[in-house]
C-alpha cells in the first residue's frame, strides 16, 4: 500500500475567530460555509473515505482570499471539485478542503471565441455554452467528468484533445491567499500534469475555440456521450480512468493482459466493462480501492514490465 505523501503541519497560533487545525489555526469569521470534521465520502464519486479537518465553501473570491490569507502558514489546502478522479483515504484529509460551489460555476462567452469559466464549472456546461455560441474545439470537455479547476490543474483530456490545446490563461489563488493570473505558457503542461503549486486553487480560466456550426458541435458532443456510455462504467461508483496511458500503450490493455479484469479486493473491483476503471462494488473502503490499484500495478509490471502511473489522485491519511 502506498503511504500518504509527507504532510505539512502548521504551528499553533492564537487569534480571534480562529480554531486549531492540524496543530495550527483556521479563521472562522467567513461568509461562506465552514464545517469542522466534515465527511467527504458523499462528495466524491467512489463514495468512500474519511472526513476533512475543515471543509470550506467560500461565498465568493474575496471570501476565499481572505480566508486563505488568515490560515497559519503551512496548513494543507486542497481544492475539491465534483469528486471524480480522486480517492479520499479512510483517515480523512488534514487541513482545509476548499469546495468551489455555485459562485464559481459561471460560464460566459466573450469576444473572439473565448469562453470564461469559473473554477467550479463542470466540463459539460462549458462545452454546452460553447456549442450554443457556435464555438468549436471544446467538445471534448463533454467527456471529462470534472470541473474547470480540476482539469486545468491536471491538463485533463479526452478524445484526442487536452486543456493545453484551448487554455488562454487561468486565475489562481495561492495558498497564502494571493490571486495571480497565469498564462498557459507558464504552466509547463505535459500529459496529465502542470507545474501549479500544491494547494493552489484555480478559480477561473479562459478557453479559446474557433468558429463552428452548433449542430455539428452538438453532434460531436452526442457522439462523445454515447461512446462514454457504451464503453465506461458510468453508472457505478467509480473514479474515472485509474492509470495514465504509458507512451504508445493503452493502460486498459495492459491491465487486461495481466489478467486483472474483474479482480476484486474487499468491496473494490476492476471493472469488467473497462479495465482502466476501479469500482466500489460492495461498500468498499478507500483502502480496498487503493490496495486493488496497487495490486493491479504489481501484476502489470510482473506480466509486461510496464510500471503504470496513477492518474487518480490519492489524498489524506491512510
Amino acid at each position: 500500500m502506498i503511504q500518504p505523501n509527507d504532510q505539512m503541519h502548521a504551528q499553533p497560533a492564537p487569534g480571534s475567530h480562529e480554531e486549531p487545525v492540524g496543530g495550527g489555526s483556521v479563521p472562522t469569521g467567513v461568509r461562506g460555509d465552514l464545517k469542522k470534521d466534515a465527511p467527504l465520502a458523499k462528495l466524491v464519486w467512489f463514495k468512500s473515505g474519511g472526513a476533512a479537518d475543515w471543509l470550506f465553501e467560500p461565498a465568493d473570491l474575496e471570501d476565499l482570499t481572505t480566508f486563505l490569507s488568515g490560515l497559519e502558514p503551512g496548513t494543507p489546502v486542497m481544492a475539491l471539485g465534483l469528486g471524480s478522479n480522486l480517492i479520499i483515504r479512510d483517515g480523512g484529509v488534514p487541513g482545509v478542503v476548499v469546495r468551489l460551489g455555485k459562485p464559481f460555476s459561471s460560464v460566459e462567452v466573450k469576444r473572439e471565441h473565448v469562453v470564461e469559466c469559473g473554477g467550479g464549472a463542470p466540463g459539460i456546461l462549458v462545452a454546452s455554452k460553447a456549442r450554443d455560441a457556435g464555438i468549436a474545439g471544446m467538445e471534448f470537455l463533454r467527456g471529462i467528468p470534472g470541473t474547470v479547476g480540476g482539469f486545468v490543474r491536471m491538463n485533463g483530456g479526452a478524445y484526442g484533445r487536452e486543456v493545453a490545446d484551448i487554455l488562454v490563461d487561468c486565475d489562481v489563488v495561492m495558498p497564502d491567499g494571493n490571486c495571480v493570473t497565469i498564462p498557459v505558457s507558464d504552466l509547463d503542461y505535459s500529459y496529465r500534469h502542470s507545474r501549479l503549486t500544491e494547494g493552489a486553487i484555480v478559480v477561473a480560466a479562459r478557453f479559446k475555440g474557433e468558429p463552428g456550426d452548433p449542430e455539428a458541435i452538438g453532434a460531436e458532443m452526442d457522439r462523445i456521450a454515447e461512446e462514454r456510455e457504451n464503453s465506461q462504467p458510468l453508472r457505478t461508483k467509480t473514479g474515472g480512468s485509474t492509470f495514465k496511458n504509458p507512451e504508445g500503450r493503452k493502460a486498459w490493455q495492459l491491465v487486461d493482459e495481466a489478467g486483472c479484469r474483474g479482480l476484486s479486493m474487499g468491496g473494490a473491483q476492476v471493472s469488467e466493462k473497462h479495465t482502466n476503471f476501479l469500482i466500489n462494488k460492495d461498500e468498499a473502503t478507500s483502502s480496498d480501492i487503493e490496495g486493488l490499484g496497487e495490486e493491479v500495478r504489481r501484476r502489470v509490471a510482473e506480466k509486461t514490465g510496464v510500471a503504470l502511473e496513477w492518474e487518480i489522485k490519492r489524498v489524506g491519511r491512510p
Side-chain angles (χ1 to χ4, degrees):
M1 177 73 66
I2 287 179
Q3 295 301 312
N5 296 329
D6 293 338
Q7 295 165 358
M8 300 174 67
H9 295 282
Q11 298 300 313
S16 60
H17 302 297
E18 294 181 341
E19 292 192 23
V21 51
S25 57
V26 58
T28 56
V30 299
R31 290 180 287 110
D33 189 15
L34 180 65
K35 296 177 180 176
K36 188 175 182 179
D37 298 324
L40 296 176
K42 290 183 179 180
L43 302 181
V44 297
W45 282 31
F46 273 124
K47 303 304 178 191
S48 68
D53 287 356
W54 291 90
L55 176 64
F56 179 44
E57 299 187 29
D60 52 32
L61 180 58
E62 182 184 15
D63 197 30
L64 175 60
T65 57
T66 301
F67 174 82
L68 291 179
S69 64
L71 281 179
E72 185 71 17
T75 300
V77 175
M78 186 192 89
L80 176 64
L82 294 183
S84 60
N85 199 56
L86 183 66
I87 293 174
I88 299 289
R89 291 185 171 121
D90 298 312
V93 180
V96 178
V97 173
V98 176
R99 191 165 186 246
L100 301 182
K102 189 174 181 180
F104 296 87
S105 62
S106 64
V107 178
E108 297 182 14
V109 177
K110 301 295 185 178
R111 294 179 179 177
E112 299 179 345
H113 314 296
V114 171
V115 179
E116 184 170 27
C117 320
I124 185 173
L125 177 60
V126 179
S128 298
K129 289 279 190 177
R131 174 202 60 206
D132 295 346
I135 299 175
M138 303 183 195
E139 297 89 339
F140 74 100
L141 296 178
R142 172 66 178 84
I144 303 180
T147 58
V148 167
F151 52 70
V152 166
R153 166 174 284 281
M154 68 173 289
N155 191 22
Y159 304 95
R161 288 179 66 79
E162 57 188 10
V163 168
D165 298 327
I166 60 172
L167 183 67
V168 177
D169 57 25
C170 56
D171 298 335
V172 179
V173 177
M174 307 306 286
D176 63 0
N178 186 37
C179 189
V180 296
T181 298
I182 304 176
V184 62
S185 57
D186 287 354
L187 290 173
D188 290 347
Y189 272 145
S190 57
Y191 178 63
R192 304 297 178 263
H193 179 76
S194 76
R195 63 173 294 182
L196 274 178
T197 304
E198 192 70 26
I201 300 172
V202 178
V203 293
R206 283 153 288 277
F207 302 124
K208 185 176 177 62
E210 56 193 31
D213 174 56
E215 286 193 14
I217 295 169
E220 174 64 6
M221 288 173 58
D222 290 343
R223 183 194 70 80
I224 288 172
E226 183 177 3
E227 185 171 327
R228 290 185 70 232
E229 180 69 34
N230 292 337
S231 65
Q232 300 175 10
L234 301 180
R235 302 186 185 279
T236 62
K237 292 179 284 188
T238 185
S241 295
T242 305
F243 304 110
K244 299 177 181 179
N245 289 323
E247 189 170 354
R249 307 292 296 272
K250 294 290 187 182
W252 75 265
Q253 291 178 332
L254 294 168
V255 175
D256 222 9
E257 288 174 19
C260 296
R261 184 180 294 266
L263 183 68
S264 295
M265 179 178 290
Q269 183 182 57
V270 176
S271 170
E272 297 186 17
K273 188 173 186 179
H274 192 310
T275 52
N276 197 28
F277 283 66
L278 303 180
I279 61 175
N280 180 350
K281 187 176 182 180
D282 185 22
E283 302 302 321
T285 64
S286 291
S287 180
D288 291 339
I289 297 166
E290 186 172 7
L292 177 59
E294 285 300 304
E295 177 62 15
V296 169
R297 293 183 70 238
R298 186 191 70 79
R299 294 191 184 197
V300 168
E302 185 178 80
K303 175 73 174 180
T304 69
V306 176
L308 290 177
E309 294 183 31
W310 284 89
E311 182 169 321
I312 286 179
K313 187 176 182 181
R314 294 148 295 133
V315 299
R317 313 175 183 97

